[in-house]
Amino acid sequence: MDAFIEQAGLGRILAKVREGERLSLDDGEQLYQHPNILALGALADIVRERKNGNQAFFIYNQHINYSNVCTNLCKFCAFGREKGHPLAYEMSVDDVKDKVRQRLDEPISEIHMVGGIHPDLPFSYYLDLLRGIKEVRPDVHIQAFTCVEIHHLAQLANKPVDQTLDDLIEAGLGSLPGGGAEVFSPRIRQLTCERKLPGEGWLKVAKLAHRKGLRTNATMLYGHIETYRERLEHLDALRRTQDETGGFLAFIPLAFHPKNTAMAEHTNTTGINDLKNIAVSRLMLDNFPHIKAYWVMIGPKLAQVALAFGADDMDGTVKEEVITHMAGAETEQALGHRTLIRLIQEAGRQPIQRDTLYNILATF
Ligand code: V47
């Protein structure tokens, strides 16, 4: 495989990867611009295998989006709605408890719960959501509220982020998902989500969470107006944060879905662009244990292929995904765990059913 990578002109970067040397942003540019996707994938696969051997992970999870009411109204988002809009919704704590109750017969180990930046729900609502879920399903791990939401909740609570996290942890919060990161570049934020918490703010919340022992994920929304350099700077900011705290578990590149958004003139990402982002993130994020191929956004078939391009995780059963489907995703709303197992096995990896913190629950 090394000869193939060298013949493709990636010998210098291969030597760095073999030595475990950190790749520079210029290396990253070369990778993004490289025309040979197979050589790029082979390079990323070296790192994937070093970190995760033959294992590929999935989780039995449930997504709940408690409300789409949002004051940020990001241009790339088809989910958020202004309060009072006919399609705006908010779930009561009982609605959320019902959603959890409806699936008590399934071996769900994680509830992934996020929502918009709601203008007037009180802090107590969010604590009650966590407590309510734990009442119905005491053993479930709640991965909830992006760094953007946590910042908002701290304002609602009128407390520092640190203390807000303490309250949320006491109510049942287990970890934070990686959403809301988008692209940290101030240029991109100005053009696509000017009201959203800036990149430094997102990273600051992640660091505070890590210092409390909360693990978190990180994402990057790619395939719209960002440059390769801006993607790489985003990855570098995450890499530097991870050097400081070690608190990130997984990185998830999110493929932009333009339908029904204020950026609907853009086209969907292509398979090559999706695979490149998986591979380049695996290579740049040398200190992240896991790279997720989120099947909801790139489709189960490409997510399966991504397992040979640097990814070691396919996310999970999900069920009732709303954010991407509002933006035109044509994937299913849920995958059965048998399908996930088959996708992973046919990719030549050992399927591992994990919990949120990557403890092994079952092997197949
Ligand atoms: O925060 C919004 C992004 C995120 C669109 O942590 C869009 O394990 C594509 O963060 N096209 C939500 N993306 C999803 C997310 C996530 C998903 C799965 C696993 C994890 C994890 C996190 O989706 C939002 C935003 O960044 N998003 N609109 C869109 N039109």
Side-chain angles (χ1 to χ4, degrees), residues 255-276:
F256 177 49
H257 283 58
K259 207 169 163 188
N260 305 324
T261 74
M263 296 170 75
E265 74 280 11
H266 290 267
T267 48
N268 280 85
T269 61
T270 64
I272 296 293
N273 195 354
D274 294 334
L275 290 177
K276 263 191 186 175

Side-chain angles (χ1 to χ4, degrees), residues 63 76-79 110 112 114 143 146 176-182 196 217-219 221 250 252 254-259 261 292 294 297 315 321 323-324 327 354:
H63 277 215
F76 51 73
C77 182
F79 169 71
E110 171 189 284
H112 176 118
V114 295
Q143 181 168 80
T146 64
L176 307 188
E182 322 313 355
K196 187 166 239 160
N217 290 336
T219 57
L221 177 62
I252 310 108
L254 301 175
F256 177 49
H257 283 58
K259 207 169 163 188
T261 74
K292 252 191 218 181
Y294 186 40
M297 293 209 181
D315 200 85
E321 201 285 333
I323 299 178
T324 327
R354 63 168 177 90

Side-chain angles (χ1 to χ4, degrees), residues 14-50:
L14 171 66
K16 279 179 133 181
V17 169
R18 285 276 178 223
E19 288 302 310
E21 204 183 306
R22 178 157 283 189
L23 301 187
S24 66
L25 298 199
D26 288 344
D27 294 334
E29 287 251 13
Q30 192 187 334
L31 294 172
Y32 267 128
Q33 272 161 15
H34 203 277
N36 188 334
I37 188 68
L38 291 178
L40 184 55
L43 203 51
D45 203 52
I46 297 172
V47 182
R48 179 204 59 73
E49 188 172 26
R50 187 184 296 151

Side-chain angles (χ1 to χ4, degrees), residues 78-148:
F79 169 71
R81 291 282 184 276
E82 233 165 346
K83 196 179 154 81
H85 187 282
L87 292 179
Y89 74 84
E90 58 197 51
M91 294 181 189
S92 67
V93 173
D94 282 336
D95 293 336
V96 170
K97 285 167 79 173
D98 278 346
K99 289 238 167 250
V100 178
R101 209 173 280 119
Q102 278 159 21
R103 297 189 62 199
L104 272 178
D105 57 338
E106 292 178 58
I108 289 165
S109 66
E110 171 189 284
I111 289 182
H112 176 118
M113 181 172 68
V114 295
I117 299 301
H118 195 290
D120 47 32
L121 285 169
F123 184 50
S124 58
Y125 166 82
Y126 300 89
L127 296 173
D128 289 343
L129 279 182
L130 296 169
R131 290 191 193 111
I133 292 172
K134 284 288 191 180
E135 244 171 67
V136 179
R137 193 153 204 159
D139 294 334
V140 87
H141 179 109
I142 310 180
Q143 181 168 80
F145 311 135
T146 64
C147 292
V148 177

Side-chain angles (χ1 to χ4, degrees), residues 325-338:
H325 285 87
M326 293 289 283
E330 286 168 7
T331 45
E332 319 279 307
Q333 289 217 322
L335 272 192
H337 70 290
R338 280 200 194 84

